[in-house]
Amino acid sequence: MAGLSFDVLRVGKRYRLINYDDRYEFEIERILANGDFKVKDIHTLERYLLKETIRFGMGKDFEIREIES
């Protein structure tokens, strides 16, 4: 796994996640007690749980990087 781990993700920061050639750009809104994150997509403003993006596993291309503002 390249990039950041889930442990270092912070509320209010923006990140790019790549998994199985899908790209997500989001802002962390809240850290949940179960270790998941409530996030808001930067482009569509859709809200979802971060674990929904990896529910089918982590591909060889899995990577999380912070987006510099």
Side-chain angles (χ1 to χ4, degrees):
M1 177 171 65
L4 302 173
S5 71
F6 291 111
D7 298 3
V8 299
L9 303 183
R10 299 291 178 246
V11 173
K13 298 283 186 175
R14 293 179 171 203
Y15 300 94
R16 178 178 299 118
L17 182 145
I18 301 170
N19 193 28
Y20 292 113
D21 291 328
D22 289 331
R23 294 178 181 270
Y24 304 92
E25 291 186 341
F26 56 87
E27 180 177 332
I28 304 283
E29 289 190 318
R30 206 168 75 188
I31 300 172
L32 305 176
N34 65 358
D36 203 352
F37 299 85
K38 186 171 184 178
V39 301
K40 179 174 72 174
D41 189 281
I42 292 172
H43 304 291
T44 66
L45 305 180
E46 175 187 3
R47 289 180 165 85
Y48 54 89
L49 298 176
L50 187 58
K51 287 194 177 175
E52 291 176 4
T53 64
I54 59 168
R55 68 178 171 245
F56 299 114
M58 295 183 198
K60 292 180 182 179
D61 63 344
F62 183 82
E63 180 178 79
I64 300 174
R65 296 277 181 193
E66 186 172 350
I67 299 173
E68 299 298 325
S69 315

